[in-house]
Amino acid sequence: MGFDRFLPGASRPPRGAEPAGTDARDTETVRRIVAELEAMPRERARYLAAFAYVLTRAAAADLEISDVESRAIEQLVAEHGGLPEAQALLVAQMARTQSLLYGGTEDYLVTRQFKELSTDADRLALLRCCYLVGSADDEISIAESDVLQEIATELDVERDEVNAIRHEFGPKLSTIRAMLRLREGS
């Protein structure tokens, strides 16, 4: 696997000439990760590719993916994907690379694709996992909180379910912590 595969426009088949087994609706990000997971059923690979990418999107909300966030992503991909550690690491690293290269343009597209591939329960689990990744460094910044809300909206997670998850992670939200510090100082 050469590095040129990760460069925009490099090694892409002409439009309409996707490799066998690909879906025209797949984003470039999902196609590349699926190609690395060819041994598993295609729909499962597509699901995991999108799952890992959305987790990476949550981690990158503050423009940095820390080591602890990377480890959280790898662990969640392994747990939710039923993957061995080495394969989960590969999926997580591919998602991170794709996020760094195409983040702004792919974020919405991949999140919406995950919505199409998943059940309501899957979407709720992904959102909770995104909060776990955001809080991996013990605090969810304002930027991370904003992106988590965008992800929830794009996944069409019901408002009361989003609020329940936010409440669960309330002590990790930087805005809640700031309000508590203000109260303690009064």
Side-chain angles (χ1 to χ4, degrees):
M1 169 172 62
F3 180 73
D4 60 338
R5 290 182 56 192
F6 298 108
L7 299 176
S11 302
R12 289 189 187 155
R15 192 136 182 95
E18 286 87 6
T22 62
D23 187 316
R25 296 171 301 168
D26 288 350
T27 65
E28 186 66 23
T29 294
V30 171
R31 275 191 213 114
R32 288 185 179 179
I33 298 172
V34 168
E36 295 297 323
L37 300 174
E38 286 180 354
M40 72 176 50
R42 179 163 167 37
E43 288 305 307
R44 185 71 181 147
R46 291 175 69 219
Y47 176 93
L48 287 173
F51 181 88
Y53 184 90
V54 176
L55 292 179
T56 301
R57 175 184 178 188
D62 58 2
L63 304 178
E64 178 183 345
I65 301 174
S66 68
D67 290 341
V68 69
E69 289 170 325
S70 291
R71 285 190 301 277
I73 292 168
E74 292 161 12
Q75 180 181 359
L76 290 166
V77 168
E79 288 173 10
H80 287 265
L83 298 176
E85 184 179 336
Q87 203 170 23
L89 176 65
L90 174 66
V91 171
Q93 289 302 319
M94 291 287 296
R96 180 181 177 141
T97 300
Q98 292 298 119
S99 177
L100 293 172
L101 291 173
Y102 302 110
T105 57
E106 291 282 289
D107 288 353
Y108 173 79
L109 297 173
V110 175
T111 305
R112 292 306 284 192
Q113 185 171 3
F114 183 85
K115 181 184 177 274
E116 293 171 13
L117 296 169
S118 60
T119 65
D120 289 342
D122 293 334
R123 292 188 285 279
L124 191 58
L126 173 60
L127 184 60
R128 180 170 276 106
C129 288
C130 286
Y131 272 86
L132 286 167
V133 168
S135 67
D137 58 2
D138 204 37
E139 184 171 87
I140 299 173
S141 70
I142 292 171
E144 289 170 325
S145 181
D146 289 346
V147 168
L148 292 169
Q149 288 301 309
E150 288 173 14
I151 291 169
T153 299
E154 292 164 15
L155 292 173
D156 288 335
V157 176
E158 294 293 327
R159 184 47 125 180
D160 59 330
E161 294 174 317
V162 174
N163 289 340
I165 293 172
R166 282 185 62 79
H167 180 73
E168 180 183 335
F169 287 89
K172 303 282 185 173
L173 294 167
S174 63
T175 52
I176 301 295
R177 287 182 170 190
M179 288 186 344
L180 292 174
R181 282 192 298 271
L182 285 173
R183 282 187 188 163
E184 290 172 0
S186 308

